[in-house]
Amino acid sequence: MTPSMSEEHLVLLATGGTISSRTRADLGGAAVASDGADELLRSVGGAHAFPVQVVDVLRVGSYALDVDDMLLVCSRIREALADPSVVGVVVTHGTDTMEETAFLADLVQGDPRPVVFTGAQKAADAEDPDGPANLARAIALAGSAEAKGRGVLLSFAGEVFPARGVRKTETVRVHAFGNPDYGRDGSIADDGRLNLAAAKARRPAALPLPHPGAACRVDLVASYPGADGAHLRASLDAGAAGIVLQGTGIGNANPLLCQAVAEATAGGAVVVTSTRVNAGPVVPVYGAGGGKDLLAAGAIPSGFLRPSQSLVLLSLLLRLGSSREEIAAAFAERGGTG
Ligand code: ASP
């Protein structure tokens, strides 16, 4: 970390990802996270509205992160905001699991100061990297009064999204994110000009950060043609305390999976039903292994939360020691339309 500053400033937390990646000939041409926060800031050039203090948190591809790594990023955000001269925080992060870390950070964020995630689709050594412009816009957003009180934001390719509901929707295109259910907060131009919709009046209360070491296993299990209970039972055998079931359609499985879900909940595991579909809520409608049977088997519908963000919320709540009833209430509130 650079020496702390007493004047108003921003903090840039770097975690790796494509924005920091370079091609390594010694690794067969694989791209790996390489640049630290200092180099990332230098890549932007120019002057910013506030000085930027840089902190290296991690230097990895986000596909390799676990929930504890994500909680570490959240702790670093909290540490940064403990300093009253910090006006906002930018986190550079791989795009693969940015929707997880940004949502986790949002769940524990009670501070109105802006926290903005960004990254890149093209590596730092690409001919025309998108990282520097994304980072410049994220820095401008994090330093703006309009970004306050909105919870954690994701700024990418000129678009600004709330963390809740945001998803990586493109593997290659630079417009890599969408938020099918909760929409965009607005846009930010290359020169930092903002066009944001009015902020929501109320946000759910921030959840506490769990004590480090409060680890617990939460697995993602999919329903698909021919799925049975083998994966779910293997997760329980491996010690899973929670399961996110990636259902089909409106949140359905099949009779064999429903049976395994009933066994899991009877044994004290918490099961949440989400869906592989891009948009719309999970609603218990169908029998014969559908969502109504999953509900009867004790599974909690995720609302609008996709499997990725359901896993983050369930992991956090289980680490906090929440009961099944508290978890159901949290999904109803945070997975709803409010
Ligand atoms: N494609 C990813 C990225 O944008 C790799 C990762 O998630 O780290 O950074």
Side-chain angles (χ1 to χ4, degrees):
M1 195 193 289
T2 52
S4 65
M5 306 177 182
S6 52
E7 61 184 318
E8 286 196 319
H9 64 282
L10 293 161
V11 174
L12 167 60
L13 304 177
T15 71
T18 295
I19 193 167
S20 90
S21 292
R22 292 181 183 274
T23 309
R24 289 264 300 270
D26 58 323
L27 296 176
V32 291
S34 304
D35 291 356
D38 244 333
E39 289 142 303
L40 288 172
L41 186 61
R42 244 180 289 122
S43 77
V44 175
H48 309 295
F50 296 97
V52 182
Q53 180 183 18
V54 294
V55 181
D56 284 300
V57 182
L58 298 164
R59 204 170 296 187
V60 286
S62 73
Y63 43 82
L65 297 178
D66 63 22
V67 174
D68 289 319
D69 296 322
M70 294 174 175
L71 286 166
L72 172 72
V73 176
C74 296
S75 305
R76 291 288 184 269
I77 294 170
R78 187 160 291 186
E79 281 164 30
L81 292 174
D83 178 348
S85 58
V86 169
V87 296
V89 176
V90 173
V91 182
T92 53
H93 194 289
T95 53
D96 285 21
T97 63
M98 200 185 290
E99 66 204 58
E100 278 97 340
T101 309
F103 184 53
L104 186 60
D106 187 56
L107 290 169
V108 299
Q109 163 80 342
D111 194 297
R113 285 171 287 175
V115 174
V116 182
F117 279 67
T118 196
Q121 285 285 67
K122 294 187 267 185
D125 57 0
E127 221 163 81
D128 179 24
D130 54 333
N134 279 346
L135 182 53
R137 286 186 290 252
I139 289 172
L141 185 61
S144 74
E146 297 96 307
K148 277 193 190 156
R150 295 173 176 270
V152 171
L153 299 172
L154 194 150
S155 169
F156 212 93
E159 299 185 283
V160 180
F161 300 99
R164 183 172 66 152
V166 78
R167 309 186 68 189
K168 187 163 186 186
T169 53
E170 295 282 345
T171 56
V172 176
R173 287 180 58 225
V174 294
H175 283 270
F177 286 89
N179 195 331
D181 288 308
Y182 296 106
R184 294 195 327 178
D185 267 9
S187 61
I188 176 163
D190 284 349
D191 62 4
R193 235 176 331 107
L194 273 169
N195 184 1
L196 297 184
K200 288 210 346 230
R202 200 190 73 85
R203 285 181 21 85
L207 292 166
L209 268 173
H211 296 297
C216 77
R217 182 177 182 123
V218 176
D219 282 341
L220 184 59
V221 173
S223 184
Y224 48 88
D228 61 15
H231 289 171
L232 202 153
R233 291 195 183 94
S235 285
L236 297 175
D237 287 346
I243 303 282
V244 173
L245 180 66
Q246 179 181 286
T248 54
I250 201 166
N252 300 310
N254 63 40
L256 289 175
L257 266 166
C258 275
Q259 176 56 36
V261 168
E263 288 166 26
T265 58
V270 181
V271 180
V272 170
T273 307
S274 184
T275 173
R276 68 182 189 178
V277 176
N278 188 46
V282 166
V283 187
V285 174
Y286 297 97
K292 263 229 184 292
D293 288 354
L294 287 168
L295 190 66
I300 297 166
S302 71
F304 285 93
L305 295 180
R306 300 302 122 181
S308 56
Q309 296 196 336
S310 298
L311 185 133
V312 160
L313 178 55
L314 183 57
S315 298
L316 176 61
L317 294 169
L318 287 171
R319 278 171 166 77
L320 292 171
S322 308
S323 67
R324 189 201 171 276
E325 289 62 39
E326 289 165 336
I327 293 172
F331 271 90
E333 181 184 22
R334 291 163 201 276
T337 49

